Amino acid sequence: RLRTVTGVQTCALPISYKAVAISAPEPVKDPSFEAFRKQLADAAQKKDRKALANLVVAQGFFWEGEKGDKADKKKSGLDNLAKAISLDAKDGNGWDALAGYAADPTGASNPDRKDNICAPADPNFNADELEALAKSTGTEESDWGYPTVADLEMRAGPQPNAPVVEKLGMYFVRVIQENNPTAEQNSMLKVTAPSGKTGYVSADAISPLGNDQICYSKAGGGWKISGFIGGEQ
């Protein structure tokens, strides 16, 4: 389960802004990690709790929330993971989220926990430039998202088949929160491109900074899910 881009509410007309470029994070360069992700994807697809248990640390699981470690040290790693990602939700969203994590080949080292990597990794970008962009536009950094694919089509309306008005490059775009969005609009995000043009893109194709992350550690030659960051929403 990933956090959604916060977006901003504004009555001001869209204006152009300086694009802050991003580059995609690098995949983890370890063949055993790819094999592990395939096992994780298989467990998620089958909703196989027993198979998943073998892929999670038995003890020492951490769950970093806004107020510190939320993990219950009296419970197993699997039980803590299940709570963090709502694995037991009736709609199956927890298993879907797990499948999404398994599909992501990236990973970034966790500065607070040695020998752990967390995914999805944020893109590479100049933090000072993003800070200056937010300041110059009177926004917060959480009001910005980035395309997960190059040449993302921005459409004139919230319909997937609406005319394309521009193709977005690999840079941050401003996300506009709409009041009382329709079901159709929930699957599309309203954004403003650096050119100042406003349109709609698929919500699945825009990611915010600060996504929830699943973390992994490697011991004895094998990978395990070792923790989770987020889950506050």
Side-chain angles (χ1 to χ4, degrees), residues 29-218:
K29 296 178 180 178
D30 183 336
S32 66
F33 184 65
E34 182 176 356
F36 167 78
R37 288 194 302 107
K38 289 181 179 178
Q39 289 180 291
L40 183 57
D42 186 61
Q45 181 183 17
K46 297 177 180 178
K47 296 181 173 60
D48 189 336
R49 202 179 183 96
K50 183 177 180 180
L52 178 59
N54 293 328
L55 303 176
V56 184
V57 292
Q59 299 295 328
F61 185 93
F62 62 89
W63 178 5
E64 292 183 9
E66 293 179 357
K67 297 182 180 179
D69 193 349
K70 298 172 61 178
D72 186 338
K73 301 307 179 183
K74 297 180 181 179
K75 294 185 177 181
S76 68
L78 177 61
D79 287 341
N80 278 293
L81 174 65
K83 186 174 181 179
I85 66 174
S86 301
L87 194 64
D88 298 320
K90 293 181 179 180
D91 59 10
N93 279 345
W95 289 104
D96 290 342
L98 194 63
Y101 289 121
D104 194 304
T106 68
S109 60
N110 186 325
D112 299 321
R113 296 181 182 275
K114 186 179 179 180
D115 301 326
N116 280 269
I117 62 171
C118 300
D122 282 334
N124 301 304
F125 64 95
N126 187 309
D128 291 336
E129 290 183 358
L130 179 59
E131 182 180 358
L133 175 61
K135 185 176 180 179
S136 67
T137 53
T139 61
E140 302 291 335
E141 292 184 17
S142 58
D143 299 325
W144 298 81
Y146 57 90
T148 56
V149 294
D151 296 324
L152 177 62
E153 294 179 338
M154 183 173 74
R155 299 182 179 275
Q159 303 80 21
N161 59 349
V164 176
V165 295
E166 189 171 330
K167 289 188 177 182
L168 303 178
M170 298 303 285
Y171 41 66
F172 283 100
V173 294
R174 185 175 177 179
V175 178
I176 308 298
Q177 181 177 327
E178 297 192 285
N179 294 320
N180 303 315
T182 64
E184 189 174 49
Q185 289 171 328
N186 278 330
S187 65
M188 303 287 282
L189 286 177
K190 187 176 184 180
V191 300
T192 300
S195 65
K197 291 182 180 179
T198 295
Y200 293 82
V201 297
S202 170
D204 293 335
I206 293 287
S207 184
L209 294 174
N211 273 324
D212 288 357
Q213 293 179 304
I214 196 167
C215 300
Y216 312 98
S217 62
K218 188 177 183 181

